[in-house]
Amino acid sequence: DQQVKQNSPSLSVQEGRISILNCDYTNSMFDYFLWYKKYPAEGPTFLISISSIKDKNEDGRFTVFLNKSAKHLSLHIVPSQPGDSAVYFCAASERGSTLGRLYFGRGTQLTVWP
Amino acid sequence: GAGVSQSPSNKVTEKGKDVELRCDPISGHTALYWYRQSLGQGLEFLIYFQGNSAPDKSGLPSDRFSAERTGGSVSTLTIQRTQQEDSAVYLCASSSGVVRDTQYFGPGTRLTVL
C-alpha cells in the first residue's frame, strides 16, 4: 500500500502564477520529507527537504509546508516558470532510519504554460 | 564532476532471459541504492549498499532479483528469468553515506520484457 500519496497526477499553471503540489502520507514514523523533480529521460533531482521539527522551509522560489497533524505537505512554486514543467515526486524517510531508504509518491506532472 | 551513470540506457529482452544492469556511482560515495519505477507508479526501493555493511535487500520483489557491489563502487543488478511485470525504469542513486544526505540519481535503464 502506498505510504506516500500524490492524488493529483497532473497540474497546469500559467507562467508567473503559483503552483501548489500536494502530498499526503500515512506512516507516523516518517519525519523527513523531500521533493524531487524529474525531467523526461533523466533521473530525479533533489529540490527541497523539510524535517518534522519544522513546518516550513524555503529555498528561493520553492517553499515546502508541513502539517504533521494532517500528515500533509505541499510544495509551493512562486512564480512558476516554463522550465519548472516536470514531474514532481514527494518522498519520505522514517524516524531513526540510518539507511536512507526513501518512500516515494507516484508523482505530479506540472505543466507551466506561457 | 561526473554524476551517477547507468548502462544500458535501454534494454529489450525476451521473457525468461537474464539481464544485468550496471550503475557507476559518484566517486567517493559510499551509499548506493536501486529503485524501480513501473508505469504510473512511484519509485519503489529495491536494495541499498552502505560501505562494507551487509546490503539491505528488503525491497527486492523476488529471488529472481539480486545485486552486488564490487570494490565499494560499481553495482550490478541482475534479474533472472525475466517476466513481463519486470518491465520498468531501473534507477540507481548514490550518496555520501552521511545520514539523510542527498541521493543523486542516474538517468535510469528502461527495461522492456517482451
Side-chain angles (χ1 to χ4, degrees), chain A residues 31 36 43 93-94 99-100 105, chain B residues 33 35 37 42 45 48 100 103 106:
Chain A
D31 71 339
Y36 276 80
S93 71
E94 289 180 310
L99 303 179
Chain B
Y33 307 80
Y35 294 86
Q37 185 182 14
F45 168 80
Y48 162 77
R100 293 183 166 167
Q103 294 182 25

Side-chain angles (χ1 to χ4, degrees), chain A residues 2 29 31-32 36 38 41-46 51 89 93-107, chain B residues 31 33 35 37 40-45 48 50 56 58-59 89 91 97 99-108 110:
Chain A
Q2 286 277 119
M29 294 295 288
D31 71 339
Y32 186 67
Y36 276 80
K38 185 182 184 302
E42 295 183 10
T45 56
F46 170 76
S51 165
F89 289 99
S93 71
E94 289 180 310
R95 179 181 307 117
S97 171
T98 58
L99 303 179
R101 168 183 178 167
L102 296 177
Y103 296 79
F104 284 85
R106 296 183 180 184
Chain B
Y33 307 80
Y35 294 86
Q37 185 182 14
Q41 303 297 313
L43 279 72
E44 173 191 12
F45 168 80
Y48 162 77
Q50 166 62 331
D56 174 8
S58 60
V89 176
L91 291 154
V99 174
R100 293 183 166 167
D101 194 18
T102 300
Q103 294 182 25
Y104 296 88
F105 283 84
R110 180 174 296 278

